[in-house]
Every structure is written in structure tokens, then in C-alpha cells.
Amino acid sequence: MTVGLALAMEHRPPVVVYQVQKTLPFQEKVRSEVLEKNVFEALTGACDTLVRDGLPHITSRRIQKGLIDEIHIVYASPWHLSQAKTLTITNDTPFVVTEKLVQESVSKETQNMVTSSVLAEARVTSEMSVIEERVTNIALNGYDIDTPFGKKTQKLTMTLFVSALEKQFREKIEEIVNRFVHAKDISHHSLPLAFFSTVRDAFAVGKDFLLICAGEEITDIAYARGEILRDTASFPWGRAHIIRSLAKDLSCLPEEAESLLNTQHLETLRGDIKEESRQALEKACSTWAGYLRETVKVFSGSGALPRALFLITDEESDVFKKTLERGELFGKSGSSAFDVTAMNKHILAPFCKAAGAVKKLDPRIAVATLYAQTLSADPKKD
């Protein structure tokens, strides 16, 4: 798991002129309080490095003084809780759709989310802070519409995306950032929404697609139909679980197990070690695929799943892409289960540029940068 910071300039396409990443210590058994402490320490170190090594290379005197126009913080799981939900209001008598009606319905549902079973399932007991509350689509009598206000309908359907952080965690993150740099505005976002926005605008205009964020401890999945984020789900098995499984089965150190997540390294092994490693990796990846198969069943009510799938994970870990392309793991013998596009520096290069000391742009930083520029151009756009 890493904490990454970047300094980006607003251009077409945006340019990342500096990035720094700090890797958190690997935990064989996750303890939330230790993980949180490690995040704060890594963020402090990354901010210090950015101010000490990054800002002096920027020609703008204003930026050199730590005066940043905007700070966008994008959270991967497990730091955010997100949910996409469909809200429906019906009446036998036609009613007028107003901004007040929509906002009241959205506010009520958001409040339900941050006080409901969603938090209970995640074992969250502290106060939550909503960071995203976006209506991604409105339909009247079953027909999508861009300008619903003032129109009459008997059925109003809204697709809502909400995400939240623990309030104390958000405040601590802001306190650390503000020690080093100062901005007019600090905004918080979830990686699934940022990833969806990037894919929709750059790669999948007019398409139905799946998104997978294969994180360290949690894998997030999102389903988009007709350029609209329709549903989200997650399961508690990610990159770190595969490493733990490999380390246990091969009786090796986590660092040695991690190297096997790049199958090119696996091919360099010889004899029994190679076969044992291959079998252990097959077992771990099949377990991950099994969780994925069960989780995507929540999307089955929307009909057949789309073949287009966009993946974001550590760029060196190609096992997720190779697993997703194995049809037999998803009931499609003889053919690939999905058409997988893995976010990497080559795929993202036309849309987000790297300059200066940035030799290898991290795909998650690139996605966050693209989303931040989208919001800067149109704050209301999701």
C-alpha cells in the first residue's frame, strides 16, 4: 500500500511535474490502528519530500512558497465507504420535478447511508463525513433526461453515488497537508468515482463497462451502463491477501511472495520451485476470482455483464489482468471472460503527461490528476 503525492499543472492534457510515493510497511495481519498510523507517517514524509525536493524545481515563485491553487485528495479502499443506489419516487397523479424535491430526496438517502447497515457491515462506529453526493442520472417515466426540472412525471428515478470518510481521519489528513502547503480549497474524492469519470471521458464513450480497483486489502467494483455509474460493490480480498497466501504456501518472506505478482519473474524460476510457485499463485488468484464472481452477481439484475473491463492496480502486478482474461474462471471456457484494459503509463500517456523528474507516472496519480482537471473545469461534473 502506498501514499502518493503529485504536483500537476493545468494544461490540455494535464502535466504531472513531480510525484513522490511512500510505501507502507507490509502487515502479515492487518490492524486498523497500525495501518492508520502508517498512513499518517507516510503522508507526512511524502509532504516533506514534495516541499523539500519538488517545489524548488517549479518555476512559479508562488508555488515555490507552497501556495497551491487546489488540493485534491483521492482515497482508495479501505479509507472510504461508497455506494451507488437508485432512488424512485412514484405517484398516480403527475407531479412537477423541482430542484427542492431532488435535493431533499438525495439528502435523506445520504443520511440513511451514513447511519445505516452500510456502516454496520463495515464495522464503522465513528462519525462520518460525506465527501461525495452526486446524482449521476435522472429519468422521467423511464426515459433519461438532462433537464428534468419543471417537467411533470408519474415516476422519477435517480441514480445516486455517495461516499464518506471517518470524520477524524479526514481532519487528520487535512491537518498534515496544511502543515506543508496551503491551498484555497481542499477537496476529497473516492477512487471509484475518479476512475469512472476518467474511463468514461477518455476510453468508453457510449459504452457499458466494468471497473475494478484491485487494492491492497479490498477490491472495489463498479458497473457503468450508458455512461452512467449504476452500481458499486466490493470484497475484502486484494493484492496483500495474495501475497499472504503465497508467503504461507511457499514458506517465504512477503517480499519474495510479492515478486511473483509479476509473472515475468515467475518465468525466471527453475524446476520444482517454479512449479510450486505457479501452483501457489494459481490457488491465490483463483480465490480472488471466486470472490469476484460472487460479488458481481449483484449486477446480474441489469442483464449480461459487459465485456469491457478497466483495471487499476499496482502497475507491476500483472496477475490480475491475466486472471480476468481466463474465461474458465468465469464460466466461459475457450474464450476470454473480459476485454481488459489495464491502466498503465502507455495507456494513459495521451491523456496525462509526465515532465521533469517524473520518469514513470503512477496510473492512480494519473487518474486522480485527470479527475481533478475535470472538476476544475466543471465543479458540478461527476
Side-chain angles (χ1 to χ4, degrees), residues 265-285:
H265 176 76
L266 180 64
E267 294 305 315
T268 66
L269 303 179
R270 295 287 183 269
D272 292 344
I273 294 178
K274 180 177 181 178
E275 181 57 24
E276 289 175 8
S277 299
R278 187 194 65 76
Q279 292 180 3
L281 187 61
E282 166 79 15
K283 173 186 171 184
C285 290

Side-chain angles (χ1 to χ4, degrees), residues 225-242:
R225 187 177 78 250
E227 298 190 18
I228 297 164
L229 184 58
R230 303 284 183 176
D231 210 345
T232 58
S234 64
F235 59 89
W237 232 78
R239 186 174 176 276
H241 293 82
I242 294 179

Side-chain angles (χ1 to χ4, degrees), residues 19-224:
Q19 74 173 10
V20 56
Q21 293 173 289
K22 300 291 183 180
T23 301
L24 274 62
F26 183 83
Q27 293 189 66
E28 293 189 19
K29 186 175 182 180
V30 178
R31 293 170 53 197
S32 58
E33 66 277 10
V34 174
L35 187 59
E36 191 172 275
K37 176 176 175 288
N38 289 340
V39 166
F40 296 149
E41 290 179 350
L43 179 60
T44 301
C47 287
D48 181 66
T49 301
L50 183 140
V51 170
R52 182 167 31 86
D53 298 337
L55 296 187
H57 295 103
I58 307 303
T59 56
S60 168
R61 290 178 177 257
R62 187 171 175 277
I63 293 178
Q64 286 178 355
K65 295 178 181 179
L67 300 173
I68 310 296
D69 289 323
E70 298 174 7
I71 295 176
H72 295 267
I73 305 176
V74 179
Y75 300 86
S77 288
W79 306 112
H80 69 89
L81 288 176
S82 298
Q83 185 180 48
K85 191 168 185 178
T86 299
L87 312 180
T88 303
I89 301 173
T90 60
N91 199 318
D92 292 337
T93 304
F95 58 92
V96 177
V97 179
T98 64
E99 290 188 52
K100 181 180 179 182
L101 172 64
V102 170
Q103 187 54 53
E104 287 180 349
S105 301
V106 167
S107 297
K108 181 179 179 181
E109 190 58 39
T110 299
Q111 186 60 30
N112 287 341
M113 177 198 163
V114 297
T115 58
S116 70
S117 59
V118 175
L119 300 185
E121 290 176 9
R123 299 180 182 178
V124 175
T125 57
S126 58
E127 184 180 355
M128 300 297 289
S129 173
V130 174
I131 59 171
E132 292 167 323
E133 181 187 72
R134 298 186 183 275
V135 176
T136 59
N137 187 61
I138 292 180
L140 304 184
N141 291 329
Y143 295 94
D144 294 345
I145 187 169
D146 294 328
T147 56
F149 301 127
K151 294 181 172 61
K152 287 188 176 183
T153 187
Q154 289 177 281
K155 182 179 180 181
L156 168 63
T157 306
M158 297 177 284
T159 305
L160 173 66
F161 182 87
V162 177
S163 61
L165 308 171
E166 291 190 38
K167 184 179 179 182
Q168 288 185 340
F169 183 79
R170 171 179 176 165
E171 291 173 346
K172 183 63 176 179
I173 293 293
E174 290 184 352
E175 184 266 318
I176 292 172
V177 170
N178 281 323
R179 277 190 232 155
F180 296 91
V181 292
H182 307 283
K184 299 174 183 176
D185 180 54
I186 297 180
S187 55
H188 303 262
H189 319 284
S190 65
L191 180 58
L193 188 58
F195 191 19
F196 161 74
S197 176
T198 298
V199 168
R200 176 198 59 194
D201 295 345
F203 302 99
V205 176
K207 291 184 179 180
D208 300 345
F209 55 90
L210 291 174
L211 300 171
I212 292 183
C213 304
E216 292 294 306
E217 305 294 341
I218 293 175
T219 297
D220 289 319
I221 313 162
Y223 168 59

Side-chain angles (χ1 to χ4, degrees), residues 307-311 320-321 324-325 336 338-342:
R307 284 184 58 83
L309 187 151
F310 296 85
L311 169 70
F320 294 103
K321 183 176 187 293
L324 289 165
E325 290 174 336
S336 176
F338 301 102
D339 295 327
V340 183
T341 301

